[in-house]
Amino acid sequence: MRILFCHENFPGRFGFMAEHLAANPENEVLFASCHQRRGATVPGVRRIILRTEAARRSPQEENCAQAWCRATLSGKGGYAFLQRINAEFQPHWVLSSASRGATFFVQRAFPQAFHVFYAGVDETNRQPADLAEDKKAELDMQCVQILQSRLCFVFSARQRAFFPPAIRANLRCATPWVDTDWMCPDSTAVLRCEELEHVPGQELVSFDVRHFAAALAKDLRDLFVGLLAARPSCRVLVCFGGNPMRKLFEAWRPHLPDAMRRRLHLANFLPLAEYRNMFRVTRLHVCADAAPSPLPGCLEAMSCGAALMLPAPPASFVSLASGAAFLKPGENMLPLPQNGPQEQLAAVLRALDRPDRLADLGFAARRSVVAAYSPQKLVPPHVETVLAEYERFRQGQRGDLA
């Protein structure tokens, strides 16, 4: 069977699935992507660059029409490239996931193939109305691809809720897996980002504030100042991940005393390798605000052996291994108080005063993720689900021909 993966990034979420399918000698697996993780390879999988037409993204937030035009231009180039693949490869399966237009016309490029589409949305948004205009447009574009695909997945019930009711019936929930082989501990890792070069042995506390409300920025500032004052050798790395609140902190940081300013580092998006190294070297990773559902970043941090602190986890976040609550305060993570920056600072300082306990928490966190969210556990049954639907698709094709 000939199988084609189309994705923005290689190997991304599809890497282990591609490897699993390529392990069957009867399968030939091709992976087309716009970007590639440096040095990444997948055994048995041939990778090609998915060439699209250049579509420059506006530095400001795009409106809906601009996002559609950019995605359509990108998809136009991708369509011409995918047509050439079809002439040479003629896949039986096409598994795609891209919300920015690269695979916008993939169903037209391979009209006879069995199409599986993986939809998604940034779960840091609390309601669909909170999405930026360009993200709303990406959601609409995914709806088009969902309606043209035989089988469609999202990776949480919350993601599915962002789509219109008429679309949700077409979406199945798959359990997200984490590349636990790549997202793994490394005691020799060095983190280099912005003006920070952090080596093993130094104390670093990282903060994820991607979904933190700007109205609470003062609480964060008080927390950072208190931490830097109480621990003179500690460095603080704040990851904003596109949160516009970063501008407020960039304007505020120059007013700090030099000894604090030099130890406070503000990052937007980290390169993937440095993102992993952040989890490897941080003494404590703090998700500063409660998200509507646990973020993939929490699982990735735990997979790298980071001690995690976050607000009380939702009761719905359960382990597939046991059916019990997955995030267990005091066992594989620490709770972050939600009654003000002083209580939060006290909790962070108490945690840092016990580095041996943080190391034990990180070890337990890694063990929890490997047991419940590793691709070795989750990908094989997921592939069986796709295979079963493909067999129904083939039977339908034979019925149409008869």
Side-chain angles (χ1 to χ4, degrees), residues 62-92:
E62 295 179 318
N63 63 37
C64 186
Q66 289 172 321
W68 271 93
C69 289
R70 177 175 49 79
T72 303
L73 181 61
S74 177
K76 175 185 174 185
Y79 175 61
F81 183 75
L82 292 171
Q83 279 186 307
R84 293 196 294 273
I85 293 178
N86 193 35
E88 302 169 5
F89 189 66
Q90 295 184 342
H92 298 99

Side-chain angles (χ1 to χ4, degrees), residues 168-218:
R168 290 176 204 159
N170 298 302
L171 295 172
R172 302 189 190 187
C173 281
T175 303
W177 52 84
V178 179
D179 188 346
T180 50
D181 290 339
W182 197 74
M183 285 288 183
C184 61
D186 181 356
S187 61
T188 65
V190 175
L191 172 63
R192 297 182 178 90
C193 67
E194 304 295 324
E195 71 280 18
L196 169 66
E197 180 168 339
H198 189 83
V199 298
Q202 295 177 328
E203 185 174 80
L204 173 74
V205 179
S206 53
F207 287 83
D208 180 346
V209 299
R210 285 176 290 178
H211 48 286
F212 203 89
L216 300 175
K218 183 180 182 303

Side-chain angles (χ1 to χ4, degrees), residues 7 14 22 103 108 111 114 148 236 260 264 312 338 361:
H7 192 35
F14 283 156
T103 64
R108 290 198 177 189
F114 172 71
Q148 298 180 75
V236 172
M260 289 188 181
L264 178 63
Q338 290 294 282
L361 280 171

Side-chain angles (χ1 to χ4, degrees), residues 123-386:
E123 293 187 69
T124 59
N125 296 280
R126 298 184 179 277
Q127 300 293 335
D130 295 336
L131 290 171
E133 285 299 307
D134 58 338
K135 298 300 181 184
K136 290 178 182 176
E138 290 178 4
L139 199 68
D140 292 341
M141 293 175 217
Q142 292 185 80
C143 290
V144 174
Q145 293 186 265
I146 289 167
L147 292 173
Q148 298 180 75
S149 299
R150 175 75 183 198
L151 185 59
C152 305
F153 292 98
V154 288
F155 286 98
S156 74
R158 176 162 182 80
Q159 285 189 356
R160 183 165 58 185
F162 274 78
F163 289 87
I167 297 294
R168 290 176 204 159
N170 298 302
L171 295 172
R172 302 189 190 187
C173 281
T175 303
W177 52 84
V178 179
D179 188 346
T180 50
D181 290 339
W182 197 74
M183 285 288 183
C184 61
D186 181 356
S187 61
T188 65
V190 175
L191 172 63
R192 297 182 178 90
C193 67
E194 304 295 324
E195 71 280 18
L196 169 66
E197 180 168 339
H198 189 83
V199 298
Q202 295 177 328
E203 185 174 80
L204 173 74
V205 179
S206 53
F207 287 83
D208 180 346
V209 299
R210 285 176 290 178
H211 48 286
F212 203 89
L216 300 175
K218 183 180 182 303
D219 288 351
L220 268 186
R221 291 198 296 264
D222 291 346
L223 175 57
F224 297 156
V225 168
L227 176 56
L228 292 166
R231 313 234 4 144
S233 62
C234 178
R235 292 180 177 271
V236 172
L237 173 62
V238 189
C239 295
F240 290 89
N243 190 326
M245 186 174 61
R246 183 188 183 196
K247 294 180 180 178
L248 299 177
F249 281 79
E250 287 178 334
W252 165 71
R253 185 173 62 169
H255 300 288
L256 289 173
D258 285 349
M260 289 188 181
R261 178 177 49 79
R262 288 194 296 267
R263 293 184 287 121
L264 178 63
H265 308 279
L266 309 177
N268 198 17
F269 293 99
L270 295 177
L272 189 58
E274 298 309 318
Y275 174 74
R276 175 180 63 172
N277 283 344
M278 173 183 68
F279 295 140
R280 288 170 158 178
V281 306
T282 188
R283 190 71 54 86
L284 179 67
H285 184 67
V286 182
C287 294
D289 187 26
S293 62
L295 304 176
C298 292
L299 296 178
E300 291 166 343
M302 295 171 77
S303 183
C304 289
L308 182 68
M309 178 178 281
L310 75 163
S316 59
F317 198 28
V318 299
S319 166
L320 296 181
S322 63
F326 175 72
L327 293 174
K328 298 179 179 180
E331 294 186 28
N332 61 9
M333 50 79 66
L334 292 172
L336 178 69
Q338 290 294 282
N339 50 351
Q342 294 306 315
E343 290 298 322
Q344 291 180 339
L345 174 61
V348 170
L349 293 177
R350 283 195 301 270
L352 293 175
D353 283 339
R354 299 184 62 186
D356 291 345
R357 181 174 183 239
L358 290 181
D360 290 342
L361 280 171
F363 179 78
R366 163 76 179 175
R367 188 172 54 204
S368 298
V369 172
V370 170
Y373 290 96
S374 69
Q376 291 88 346
K377 177 183 182 67
L378 297 178
V379 166
H382 179 72
V383 169
E384 289 301 315
T385 298
V386 177

